[in-house]
Amino acid sequence: MPSSPVAVVSAPFAPIKKDPKLANNWKTKTVEELTDAEILAMPDTEYMNNVQMTYFRRKLAILKQEILNSAGATTEHLREDTVVVPDPADRATIEEEHALELRTRDRERKLLKKIEQSIGLIDAGEYGYCDETGEPIGVGRLLARPTATLSLEAQQRRELKQKMFGD
């Protein structure tokens, strides 16, 4: 009996827990050696110090490079698929795949803009603080979404307003 392929299901997102044993690792390691867990374990009194700013700048730069590499691959992929396909169903499938890929790239283009803004905030020393309240956004939220500009509470208020009153 042939075996069917097994679907791999990723584990649901589990937030990183603050490990007190890692709290002082940032003092002895270089920024390149630090992990998300070590950054999260840093004391609250060290919020957005030079180490964290450098760490998030590096994280944003890596994310930016990955998006740019992906965009280059998309361009090549779209060029390769320009052959004329006589079957209308096949042509429709290819066009739908292209449309989906272009939508993804458009979202990534918007994300690139947010990454550039976040790097600008790091340069200005304002990264990690809520645009609306001025309160710290929190390391955990920034690790999950490095381009966040609102604290969790401010983001929830904004989403509730959008839901109630529309965009």
Side-chain angles (χ1 to χ4, degrees), residues 7-32:
V8 177
V9 178
S10 63
F13 173 74
I16 303 170
K17 299 256 192 266
K18 211 170 187 176
D19 185 354
K21 291 180 263 174
L22 303 176
N24 291 317
N25 287 5
W26 66 278
K27 294 178 181 177
T28 57
K29 290 186 173 184
T30 65
V31 173
E32 292 80 19

Side-chain angles (χ1 to χ4, degrees), residues 73-84 94 98:
T74 296
T75 305
E76 288 301 316
H77 180 251
L78 292 175
R79 279 192 198 132
E80 291 170 1
D81 284 350
T82 57
V83 295
V84 177
I94 290 171
H98 286 189

Side-chain angles (χ1 to χ4, degrees), residues 39-127:
I39 291 293
L40 185 64
M42 288 174 69
D44 292 339
T45 56
E46 297 296 332
Y47 185 72
M48 287 301 123
N49 64 5
N50 287 339
V51 172
Q52 285 185 354
M53 289 286 204
T54 305
Y55 183 82
F56 282 108
R57 172 187 281 286
R58 185 172 180 274
K59 192 173 192 73
L60 288 162
I62 290 169
L63 182 60
K64 179 181 176 180
Q65 192 57 51
E66 287 172 356
I67 291 172
L68 292 174
N69 292 344
S70 176
T74 296
T75 305
E76 288 301 316
H77 180 251
L78 292 175
R79 279 192 198 132
E80 291 170 1
D81 284 350
T82 57
V83 295
V84 177
V85 180
D87 182 33
D90 288 344
R91 194 170 342 132
T93 300
I94 290 171
E95 288 174 10
E96 187 60 32
E97 288 173 356
H98 286 189
L100 181 62
E101 202 161 338
L102 289 172
R103 272 196 306 269
T104 301
R105 294 304 152 243
D106 187 49
R107 277 196 302 270
E108 288 179 349
R109 180 185 54 80
K110 292 174 184 172
L111 180 57
L112 275 175
K113 191 175 182 182
K114 287 182 178 183
I115 290 170
E116 290 296 331
Q117 290 170 342
S118 295
I119 291 172
L121 288 172
I122 289 172
D123 292 341
E126 298 171 7
Y127 181 78

